[in-house]
Amino acid sequence: MTETLPSTEVPERVRLWTVASLIAGRSAYRLALYAAGILLLAAWGSARFAPYAAALGTTSWLTTVVQMGPEKAALKLLPRARRTHGDLVATLRAFALLAPILLVGVAAVAVVAAPESRVALYALAAAQATALGSVLLGVALHRALGRPRSDTLTFLLLALGTVVLIGLAYTPGISPVAYLTGQLVLTLAALGLLLRRPAPKRRPRPGVRRLLTATSVLMGTPEVLMNAGTSVLYVELTAGAHAGQSSELYLVLQGWAVIIAFVYFLQRLLQPRLSARLAIDGAADGRTRIARLARPVVALGAGWLVAATALLAVFPTPVTDLAPVRLTVLLAVLIVTRIPAYLLMSQVTFVLENTDAAGLRTSARGAVLSMLTVAGVGAVATPLLGAAGAVYALGVKELVLALNVTYRPRPKRLTRGPYK
């Protein structure tokens, strides 16, 4: 399309001080969230905390629906855009503002009609996940426009608010519904501060919304489906006899989320340069990197499954009968040993989705296959192994994604870039 001609300039490298300040703000928020999991469990007890953890785990994929696709599309298209730069920014800003409205309204009705109910808890968790996705998209727009300070200040505000809400859970002792209500109000306030500047009052050029929507869907599908697979595992766990292990699963996956968020954030900082570079050099260099990195992931993923199967088979005590602390340690060991395969596969996906349209389709196909496989393995493993079965099912993800990339059909011809 002529609206987004590839630029001949590669964006400047992000300054070290900027990266450090961005990581500091996000780390403060992530640490506050992780501390909240431990401290709220102590304040509420397992009986009240487990439904709260299940609600957050089941609805967390909504954050990726709002954030991942639009953010990736923005960081891919904006460096290449000339005449459509303002149209892209205005469209993304409007989407970030409008995305949470429906679920916030549903949550408000649920809290008024049935306070302290499971319905209100899940409605608030869904609204909070959506609002957080809008905030993440909002700070990405600020970074793309050269205002990284807004990213740091936003997450410091969210971290401070979370600390205050944790304190209220002890004194005077607010409930999970009240805590999530506070989190939702805090997140909406941060969103309002981020996007308070009025957008230009003009219609985007023809084709901009279609291009942005198509790119967002293709680039966001992998993370959305993979997070949806994790949410399905929470549903499978809470629907069975081991629902009480949702607390341990939530705590371990929150720690895992810190690693994922860090890697994802570094990739988003580098994405504008990679996108512009591939637009200039073509996709051939990207495909060479993909092939080189994907093959070791197959070996690592298969090896992890064999080792995890052996560990769970010979474990001296049935994993469903482990005490909470021992179960948490076991889950942490299973998660941490996935890191090498995850890091390599994350880089493969990062380069793949920034090469060309064929790369986007391959990435989306792999996400569908991995979600179906994780959900299928989890349906068998969670009734037998509880939370350990859920983590075991997650370990299948990297192997499926790597096989999808390794054995994908080769395109008939190479192009300089997806948009001309």
PDB file of all heavy atoms in Angstrom, residues 62-96:
ATOM      1  N   LEU A  62      -7.107 -11.383  28.277  1.00  0.00           N
ATOM      2  CA  LEU A  62      -7.740 -10.182  27.736  1.00  0.00           C
ATOM      3  C   LEU A  62      -6.753  -9.021  27.636  1.00  0.00           C
ATOM      4  O   LEU A  62      -6.893  -8.145  26.776  1.00  0.00           O
ATOM      5  CB  LEU A  62      -8.937  -9.790  28.605  1.00  0.00           C
ATOM      6  CG  LEU A  62     -10.128 -10.750  28.564  1.00  0.00           C
ATOM      7  CD1 LEU A  62     -11.157 -10.380  29.633  1.00  0.00           C
ATOM      8  CD2 LEU A  62     -10.775 -10.731  27.186  1.00  0.00           C
ATOM      9  N   THR A  63      -5.755  -9.003  28.517  1.00  0.00           N
ATOM     10  CA  THR A  63      -4.724  -7.962  28.418  1.00  0.00           C
ATOM     11  C   THR A  63      -4.010  -8.038  27.083  1.00  0.00           C
ATOM     12  O   THR A  63      -3.772  -7.016  26.420  1.00  0.00           O
ATOM     13  CB  THR A  63      -3.709  -8.105  29.564  1.00  0.00           C
ATOM     14  OG1 THR A  63      -4.384  -7.967  30.817  1.00  0.00           O
ATOM     15  CG2 THR A  63      -2.630  -7.038  29.476  1.00  0.00           C
ATOM     16  N   THR A  64      -3.689  -9.252  26.652  1.00  0.00           N
ATOM     17  CA  THR A  64      -2.973  -9.408  25.390  1.00  0.00           C
ATOM     18  C   THR A  64      -3.858  -9.067  24.192  1.00  0.00           C
ATOM     19  O   THR A  64      -3.356  -8.629  23.153  1.00  0.00           O
ATOM     20  CB  THR A  64      -2.429 -10.837  25.239  1.00  0.00           C
ATOM     21  OG1 THR A  64      -3.521 -11.763  25.248  1.00  0.00           O
ATOM     22  CG2 THR A  64      -1.488 -11.172  26.381  1.00  0.00           C
ATOM     23  N   VAL A  65      -5.169  -9.287  24.318  1.00  0.00           N
ATOM     24  CA  VAL A  65      -6.075  -8.942  23.217  1.00  0.00           C
ATOM     25  C   VAL A  65      -5.983  -7.456  22.901  1.00  0.00           C
ATOM     26  O   VAL A  65      -5.926  -7.042  21.736  1.00  0.00           O
ATOM     27  CB  VAL A  65      -7.530  -9.330  23.561  1.00  0.00           C
ATOM     28  CG1 VAL A  65      -8.496  -8.780  22.521  1.00  0.00           C
ATOM     29  CG2 VAL A  65      -7.676 -10.843  23.657  1.00  0.00           C
ATOM     30  N   VAL A  66      -5.972  -6.635  23.953  1.00  0.00           N
ATOM     31  CA  VAL A  66      -5.947  -5.183  23.769  1.00  0.00           C
ATOM     32  C   VAL A  66      -4.551  -4.696  23.427  1.00  0.00           C
ATOM     33  O   VAL A  66      -4.376  -3.800  22.588  1.00  0.00           O
ATOM     34  CB  VAL A  66      -6.470  -4.475  25.040  1.00  0.00           C
ATOM     35  CG1 VAL A  66      -6.408  -2.955  24.876  1.00  0.00           C
ATOM     36  CG2 VAL A  66      -7.901  -4.914  25.343  1.00  0.00           C
ATOM     37  N   GLN A  67      -3.535  -5.275  24.066  1.00  0.00           N
ATOM     38  CA  GLN A  67      -2.186  -4.716  23.952  1.00  0.00           C
ATOM     39  C   GLN A  67      -1.371  -5.255  22.793  1.00  0.00           C
ATOM     40  O   GLN A  67      -0.868  -4.481  21.972  1.00  0.00           O
ATOM     41  CB  GLN A  67      -1.406  -4.980  25.245  1.00  0.00           C
ATOM     42  CG  GLN A  67       0.046  -4.543  25.163  1.00  0.00           C
ATOM     43  CD  GLN A  67       0.967  -5.339  26.063  1.00  0.00           C
ATOM     44  OE1 GLN A  67       0.527  -6.284  26.720  1.00  0.00           O
ATOM     45  NE2 GLN A  67       2.232  -4.988  26.088  1.00  0.00           N
ATOM     46  N   MET A  68      -1.226  -6.575  22.718  1.00  0.00           N
ATOM     47  CA  MET A  68      -0.159  -7.171  21.919  1.00  0.00           C
ATOM     48  C   MET A  68      -0.235  -6.811  20.440  1.00  0.00           C
ATOM     49  O   MET A  68       0.706  -6.274  19.860  1.00  0.00           O
ATOM     50  CB  MET A  68      -0.164  -8.693  22.081  1.00  0.00           C
ATOM     51  CG  MET A  68       0.196  -9.170  23.462  1.00  0.00           C
ATOM     52  SD  MET A  68       1.929  -8.836  23.849  1.00  0.00           S
ATOM     53  CE  MET A  68       2.089  -9.708  25.408  1.00  0.00           C
ATOM     54  N   GLY A  69      -1.370  -7.117  19.804  1.00  0.00           N
ATOM     55  CA  GLY A  69      -1.485  -6.856  18.375  1.00  0.00           C
ATOM     56  C   GLY A  69      -1.320  -5.393  18.021  1.00  0.00           C
ATOM     57  O   GLY A  69      -0.470  -5.033  17.186  1.00  0.00           O
ATOM     58  N   PRO A  70      -2.111  -4.482  18.625  1.00  0.00           N
ATOM     59  CA  PRO A  70      -1.961  -3.058  18.300  1.00  0.00           C
ATOM     60  C   PRO A  70      -0.572  -2.509  18.613  1.00  0.00           C
ATOM     61  O   PRO A  70      -0.037  -1.709  17.842  1.00  0.00           O
ATOM     62  CB  PRO A  70      -3.032  -2.392  19.178  1.00  0.00           C
ATOM     63  CG  PRO A  70      -4.065  -3.438  19.357  1.00  0.00           C
ATOM     64  CD  PRO A  70      -3.305  -4.732  19.452  1.00  0.00           C
ATOM     65  N   GLU A  71       0.028  -2.924  19.743  1.00  0.00           N
ATOM     66  CA  GLU A  71       1.358  -2.407  20.073  1.00  0.00           C
ATOM     67  C   GLU A  71       2.401  -2.871  19.068  1.00  0.00           C
ATOM     68  O   GLU A  71       3.218  -2.083  18.569  1.00  0.00           O
ATOM     69  CB  GLU A  71       1.776  -2.844  21.477  1.00  0.00           C
ATOM     70  CG  GLU A  71       3.161  -2.340  21.868  1.00  0.00           C
ATOM     71  CD  GLU A  71       3.595  -2.793  23.247  1.00  0.00           C
ATOM     72  OE1 GLU A  71       2.797  -3.448  23.941  1.00  0.00           O
ATOM     73  OE2 GLU A  71       4.723  -2.479  23.632  1.00  0.00           O
ATOM     74  N   LYS A  72       2.382  -4.158  18.734  1.00  0.00           N
ATOM     75  CA  LYS A  72       3.336  -4.670  17.764  1.00  0.00           C
ATOM     76  C   LYS A  72       3.131  -4.021  16.399  1.00  0.00           C
ATOM     77  O   LYS A  72       4.091  -3.701  15.694  1.00  0.00           O
ATOM     78  CB  LYS A  72       3.195  -6.192  17.644  1.00  0.00           C
ATOM     79  CG  LYS A  72       3.744  -6.971  18.828  1.00  0.00           C
ATOM     80  CD  LYS A  72       3.630  -8.453  18.561  1.00  0.00           C
ATOM     81  CE  LYS A  72       4.290  -9.268  19.660  1.00  0.00           C
ATOM     82  NZ  LYS A  72       4.242 -10.721  19.364  1.00  0.00           N
ATOM     83  N   ALA A  73       1.861  -3.863  16.020  1.00  0.00           N
ATOM     84  CA  ALA A  73       1.570  -3.223  14.736  1.00  0.00           C
ATOM     85  C   ALA A  73       2.083  -1.788  14.714  1.00  0.00           C
ATOM     86  O   ALA A  73       2.657  -1.329  13.719  1.00  0.00           O
ATOM     87  CB  ALA A  73       0.068  -3.255  14.464  1.00  0.00           C
ATOM     88  N   ALA A  74       1.887  -1.079  15.827  1.00  0.00           N
ATOM     89  CA  ALA A  74       2.354   0.306  15.896  1.00  0.00           C
ATOM     90  C   ALA A  74       3.867   0.382  15.761  1.00  0.00           C
ATOM     91  O   ALA A  74       4.404   1.201  15.003  1.00  0.00           O
ATOM     92  CB  ALA A  74       1.914   0.938  17.212  1.00  0.00           C
ATOM     93  N   LEU A  75       4.582  -0.483  16.470  1.00  0.00           N
ATOM     94  CA  LEU A  75       6.041  -0.439  16.451  1.00  0.00           C
ATOM     95  C   LEU A  75       6.619  -0.965  15.140  1.00  0.00           C
ATOM     96  O   LEU A  75       7.766  -0.680  14.807  1.00  0.00           O
ATOM     97  CB  LEU A  75       6.600  -1.239  17.626  1.00  0.00           C
ATOM     98  CG  LEU A  75       6.268  -0.671  19.008  1.00  0.00           C
ATOM     99  CD1 LEU A  75       6.774  -1.589  20.104  1.00  0.00           C
ATOM    100  CD2 LEU A  75       6.849   0.725  19.176  1.00  0.00           C
ATOM    101  N   LYS A  76       5.812  -1.725  14.396  1.00  0.00           N
ATOM    102  CA  LYS A  76       6.254  -2.176  13.082  1.00  0.00           C
ATOM    103  C   LYS A  76       5.940  -1.143  12.006  1.00  0.00           C
ATOM    104  O   LYS A  76       6.759  -0.872  11.123  1.00  0.00           O
ATOM    105  CB  LYS A  76       5.589  -3.508  12.729  1.00  0.00           C
ATOM    106  CG  LYS A  76       5.984  -4.023  11.349  1.00  0.00           C
ATOM    107  CD  LYS A  76       5.426  -5.393  11.090  1.00  0.00           C
ATOM    108  CE  LYS A  76       5.908  -5.932   9.738  1.00  0.00           C
ATOM    109  NZ  LYS A  76       5.480  -7.317   9.489  1.00  0.00           N
ATOM    110  N   LEU A  77       4.735  -0.559  12.060  1.00  0.00           N
ATOM    111  CA  LEU A  77       4.289   0.330  10.982  1.00  0.00           C
ATOM    112  C   LEU A  77       4.792   1.762  11.130  1.00  0.00           C
ATOM    113  O   LEU A  77       5.096   2.421  10.134  1.00  0.00           O
ATOM    114  CB  LEU A  77       2.753   0.325  10.905  1.00  0.00           C
ATOM    115  CG  LEU A  77       2.099  -1.013  10.544  1.00  0.00           C
ATOM    116  CD1 LEU A  77       0.585  -0.882  10.583  1.00  0.00           C
ATOM    117  CD2 LEU A  77       2.566  -1.495   9.179  1.00  0.00           C
ATOM    118  N   LEU A  78       4.845   2.271  12.366  1.00  0.00           N
ATOM    119  CA  LEU A  78       5.230   3.676  12.538  1.00  0.00           C
ATOM    120  C   LEU A  78       6.623   4.001  12.003  1.00  0.00           C
ATOM    121  O   LEU A  78       6.811   5.056  11.392  1.00  0.00           O
ATOM    122  CB  LEU A  78       5.109   4.074  14.017  1.00  0.00           C
ATOM    123  CG  LEU A  78       3.678   4.248  14.541  1.00  0.00           C
ATOM    124  CD1 LEU A  78       3.685   4.525  16.037  1.00  0.00           C
ATOM    125  CD2 LEU A  78       2.965   5.370  13.800  1.00  0.00           C
ATOM    126  N   PRO A  79       7.629   3.131  12.214  1.00  0.00           N
ATOM    127  CA  PRO A  79       8.944   3.465  11.639  1.00  0.00           C
ATOM    128  C   PRO A  79       8.936   3.492  10.110  1.00  0.00           C
ATOM    129  O   PRO A  79       9.803   4.105   9.501  1.00  0.00           O
ATOM    130  CB  PRO A  79       9.861   2.337  12.167  1.00  0.00           C
ATOM    131  CG  PRO A  79       9.172   1.820  13.373  1.00  0.00           C
ATOM    132  CD  PRO A  79       7.707   1.936  13.077  1.00  0.00           C
ATOM    133  N   ARG A  80       7.968   2.804   9.488  1.00  0.00           N
ATOM    134  CA  ARG A  80       7.913   2.751   8.030  1.00  0.00           C
ATOM    135  C   ARG A  80       6.963   3.793   7.446  1.00  0.00           C
ATOM    136  O   ARG A  80       6.920   3.979   6.238  1.00  0.00           O
ATOM    137  CB  ARG A  80       7.455   1.354   7.581  1.00  0.00           C
ATOM    138  CG  ARG A  80       8.271   0.213   8.176  1.00  0.00           C
ATOM    139  CD  ARG A  80       7.758  -1.136   7.696  1.00  0.00           C
ATOM    140  NE  ARG A  80       8.509  -2.228   8.306  1.00  0.00           N
ATOM    141  CZ  ARG A  80       8.547  -3.465   7.821  1.00  0.00           C
ATOM    142  NH1 ARG A  80       7.888  -3.765   6.723  1.00  0.00           N
ATOM    143  NH2 ARG A  80       9.242  -4.398   8.431  1.00  0.00           N
ATOM    144  N   ALA A  81       6.148   4.405   8.308  1.00  0.00           N
ATOM    145  CA  ALA A  81       5.095   5.291   7.829  1.00  0.00           C
ATOM    146  C   ALA A  81       5.640   6.670   7.494  1.00  0.00           C
ATOM    147  O   ALA A  81       6.503   7.194   8.195  1.00  0.00           O
ATOM    148  CB  ALA A  81       3.996   5.405   8.877  1.00  0.00           C
ATOM    149  N   ARG A  82       5.092   7.274   6.460  1.00  0.00           N
ATOM    150  CA  ARG A  82       5.421   8.653   6.109  1.00  0.00           C
ATOM    151  C   ARG A  82       4.164   9.504   6.264  1.00  0.00           C
ATOM    152  O   ARG A  82       3.983  10.207   7.243  1.00  0.00           O
ATOM    153  CB  ARG A  82       5.974   8.704   4.682  1.00  0.00           C
ATOM    154  CG  ARG A  82       7.341   8.025   4.546  1.00  0.00           C
ATOM    155  CD  ARG A  82       7.820   8.077   3.100  1.00  0.00           C
ATOM    156  NE  ARG A  82       9.120   7.395   2.953  1.00  0.00           N
ATOM    157  CZ  ARG A  82       9.700   7.177   1.781  1.00  0.00           C
ATOM    158  NH1 ARG A  82       9.124   7.569   0.665  1.00  0.00           N
ATOM    159  NH2 ARG A  82      10.869   6.557   1.724  1.00  0.00           N
ATOM    160  N   ARG A  83       3.261   9.384   5.297  1.00  0.00           N
ATOM    161  CA  ARG A  83       2.079  10.242   5.330  1.00  0.00           C
ATOM    162  C   ARG A  83       1.032   9.790   6.341  1.00  0.00           C
ATOM    163  O   ARG A  83       0.165  10.573   6.721  1.00  0.00           O
ATOM    164  CB  ARG A  83       1.450  10.290   3.934  1.00  0.00           C
ATOM    165  CG  ARG A  83       2.367  10.907   2.879  1.00  0.00           C
ATOM    166  CD  ARG A  83       1.631  11.113   1.571  1.00  0.00           C
ATOM    167  NE  ARG A  83       1.139   9.866   0.998  1.00  0.00           N
ATOM    168  CZ  ARG A  83       1.865   9.102   0.194  1.00  0.00           C
ATOM    169  NH1 ARG A  83       3.108   9.426  -0.099  1.00  0.00           N
ATOM    170  NH2 ARG A  83       1.351   7.995  -0.308  1.00  0.00           N
ATOM    171  N   THR A  84       1.082   8.527   6.775  1.00  0.00           N
ATOM    172  CA  THR A  84       0.018   7.994   7.632  1.00  0.00           C
ATOM    173  C   THR A  84       0.383   7.972   9.107  1.00  0.00           C
ATOM    174  O   THR A  84      -0.348   7.393   9.910  1.00  0.00           O
ATOM    175  CB  THR A  84      -0.341   6.561   7.189  1.00  0.00           C
ATOM    176  OG1 THR A  84       0.844   5.754   7.264  1.00  0.00           O
ATOM    177  CG2 THR A  84      -0.877   6.550   5.776  1.00  0.00           C
ATOM    178  N   HIS A  85       1.492   8.577   9.488  1.00  0.00           N
ATOM    179  CA  HIS A  85       1.937   8.511  10.882  1.00  0.00           C
ATOM    180  C   HIS A  85       0.868   9.032  11.836  1.00  0.00           C
ATOM    181  O   HIS A  85       0.508   8.369  12.824  1.00  0.00           O
ATOM    182  CB  HIS A  85       3.231   9.319  11.039  1.00  0.00           C
ATOM    183  CG  HIS A  85       3.909   9.129  12.351  1.00  0.00           C
ATOM    184  ND1 HIS A  85       3.539   9.805  13.498  1.00  0.00           N
ATOM    185  CD2 HIS A  85       4.949   8.327  12.708  1.00  0.00           C
ATOM    186  CE1 HIS A  85       4.315   9.432  14.500  1.00  0.00           C
ATOM    187  NE2 HIS A  85       5.181   8.535  14.043  1.00  0.00           N
ATOM    188  N   GLY A  86       0.319  10.210  11.571  1.00  0.00           N
ATOM    189  CA  GLY A  86      -0.698  10.783  12.447  1.00  0.00           C
ATOM    190  C   GLY A  86      -1.972   9.979  12.466  1.00  0.00           C
ATOM    191  O   GLY A  86      -2.629   9.846  13.509  1.00  0.00           O
ATOM    192  N   ASP A  87      -2.351   9.398  11.327  1.00  0.00           N
ATOM    193  CA  ASP A  87      -3.555   8.570  11.271  1.00  0.00           C
ATOM    194  C   ASP A  87      -3.415   7.325  12.142  1.00  0.00           C
ATOM    195  O   ASP A  87      -4.344   6.910  12.835  1.00  0.00           O
ATOM    196  CB  ASP A  87      -3.841   8.153   9.827  1.00  0.00           C
ATOM    197  CG  ASP A  87      -4.157   9.340   8.934  1.00  0.00           C
ATOM    198  OD1 ASP A  87      -4.690  10.330   9.462  1.00  0.00           O
ATOM    199  OD2 ASP A  87      -3.864   9.281   7.734  1.00  0.00           O
ATOM    200  N   LEU A  88      -2.244   6.702  12.079  1.00  0.00           N
ATOM    201  CA  LEU A  88      -2.007   5.502  12.892  1.00  0.00           C
ATOM    202  C   LEU A  88      -2.086   5.825  14.378  1.00  0.00           C
ATOM    203  O   LEU A  88      -2.720   5.095  15.154  1.00  0.00           O
ATOM    204  CB  LEU A  88      -0.631   4.915  12.551  1.00  0.00           C
ATOM    205  CG  LEU A  88      -0.482   4.267  11.171  1.00  0.00           C
ATOM    206  CD1 LEU A  88       0.988   3.976  10.879  1.00  0.00           C
ATOM    207  CD2 LEU A  88      -1.298   2.986  11.087  1.00  0.00           C
ATOM    208  N   VAL A  89      -1.454   6.917  14.791  1.00  0.00           N
ATOM    209  CA  VAL A  89      -1.455   7.291  16.212  1.00  0.00           C
ATOM    210  C   VAL A  89      -2.870   7.592  16.689  1.00  0.00           C
ATOM    211  O   VAL A  89      -3.293   7.131  17.763  1.00  0.00           O
ATOM    212  CB  VAL A  89      -0.528   8.504  16.441  1.00  0.00           C
ATOM    213  CG1 VAL A  89      -0.681   9.030  17.870  1.00  0.00           C
ATOM    214  CG2 VAL A  89       0.922   8.115  16.186  1.00  0.00           C
ATOM    215  N   ALA A  90      -3.645   8.353  15.904  1.00  0.00           N
ATOM    216  CA  ALA A  90      -5.001   8.714  16.309  1.00  0.00           C
ATOM    217  C   ALA A  90      -5.891   7.481  16.428  1.00  0.00           C
ATOM    218  O   ALA A  90      -6.693   7.352  17.360  1.00  0.00           O
ATOM    219  CB  ALA A  90      -5.594   9.702  15.313  1.00  0.00           C
ATOM    220  N   THR A  91      -5.757   6.541  15.503  1.00  0.00           N
ATOM    221  CA  THR A  91      -6.571   5.321  15.534  1.00  0.00           C
ATOM    222  C   THR A  91      -6.228   4.457  16.746  1.00  0.00           C
ATOM    223  O   THR A  91      -7.109   3.925  17.425  1.00  0.00           O
ATOM    224  CB  THR A  91      -6.365   4.522  14.238  1.00  0.00           C
ATOM    225  OG1 THR A  91      -6.680   5.340  13.112  1.00  0.00           O
ATOM    226  CG2 THR A  91      -7.250   3.292  14.219  1.00  0.00           C
ATOM    227  N   LEU A  92      -4.950   4.318  17.032  1.00  0.00           N
ATOM    228  CA  LEU A  92      -4.535   3.507  18.179  1.00  0.00           C
ATOM    229  C   LEU A  92      -4.959   4.152  19.497  1.00  0.00           C
ATOM    230  O   LEU A  92      -5.368   3.454  20.438  1.00  0.00           O
ATOM    231  CB  LEU A  92      -3.014   3.325  18.149  1.00  0.00           C
ATOM    232  CG  LEU A  92      -2.505   2.387  17.056  1.00  0.00           C
ATOM    233  CD1 LEU A  92      -1.010   2.579  16.840  1.00  0.00           C
ATOM    234  CD2 LEU A  92      -2.805   0.936  17.414  1.00  0.00           C
ATOM    235  N   ARG A  93      -4.886   5.466  19.573  1.00  0.00           N
ATOM    236  CA  ARG A  93      -5.307   6.169  20.782  1.00  0.00           C
ATOM    237  C   ARG A  93      -6.800   5.958  21.043  1.00  0.00           C
ATOM    238  O   ARG A  93      -7.217   5.693  22.169  1.00  0.00           O
ATOM    239  CB  ARG A  93      -5.011   7.668  20.657  1.00  0.00           C
ATOM    240  CG  ARG A  93      -5.432   8.488  21.867  1.00  0.00           C
ATOM    241  CD  ARG A  93      -5.241   9.972  21.619  1.00  0.00           C
ATOM    242  NE  ARG A  93      -5.648  10.750  22.786  1.00  0.00           N
ATOM    243  CZ  ARG A  93      -6.901  11.067  23.058  1.00  0.00           C
ATOM    244  NH1 ARG A  93      -7.866  10.670  22.251  1.00  0.00           N
ATOM    245  NH2 ARG A  93      -7.193  11.770  24.144  1.00  0.00           N
ATOM    246  N   ALA A  94      -7.601   6.068  19.996  1.00  0.00           N
ATOM    247  CA  ALA A  94      -9.043   5.868  20.146  1.00  0.00           C
ATOM    248  C   ALA A  94      -9.352   4.437  20.591  1.00  0.00           C
ATOM    249  O   ALA A  94     -10.208   4.210  21.455  1.00  0.00           O
ATOM    250  CB  ALA A  94      -9.744   6.178  18.823  1.00  0.00           C
ATOM    251  N   PHE A  95      -8.632   3.468  20.033  1.00  0.00           N
ATOM    252  CA  PHE A  95      -8.853   2.075  20.422  1.00  0.00           C
ATOM    253  C   PHE A  95      -8.511   1.852  21.891  1.00  0.00           C
ATOM    254  O   PHE A  95      -9.259   1.177  22.624  1.00  0.00           O
ATOM    255  CB  PHE A  95      -8.003   1.157  19.548  1.00  0.00           C
ATOM    256  CG  PHE A  95      -8.066  -0.290  19.958  1.00  0.00           C
ATOM    257  CD1 PHE A  95      -9.186  -1.058  19.679  1.00  0.00           C
ATOM    258  CD2 PHE A  95      -7.011  -0.877  20.642  1.00  0.00           C
ATOM    259  CE1 PHE A  95      -9.255  -2.385  20.068  1.00  0.00           C
ATOM    260  CE2 PHE A  95      -7.059  -2.200  21.038  1.00  0.00           C
ATOM    261  CZ  PHE A  95      -8.191  -2.969  20.749  1.00  0.00           C
ATOM    262  N   ALA A  96      -7.391   2.420  22.352  1.00  0.00           N
ATOM    263  CA  ALA A  96      -6.991   2.252  23.750  1.00  0.00           C
ATOM    264  C   ALA A  96      -8.025   2.835  24.706  1.00  0.00           C
ATOM    265  O   ALA A  96      -8.290   2.272  25.776  1.00  0.00           O
ATOM    266  CB  ALA A  96      -5.628   2.903  23.979  1.00  0.00           C
TER     267      ALA A  96
END
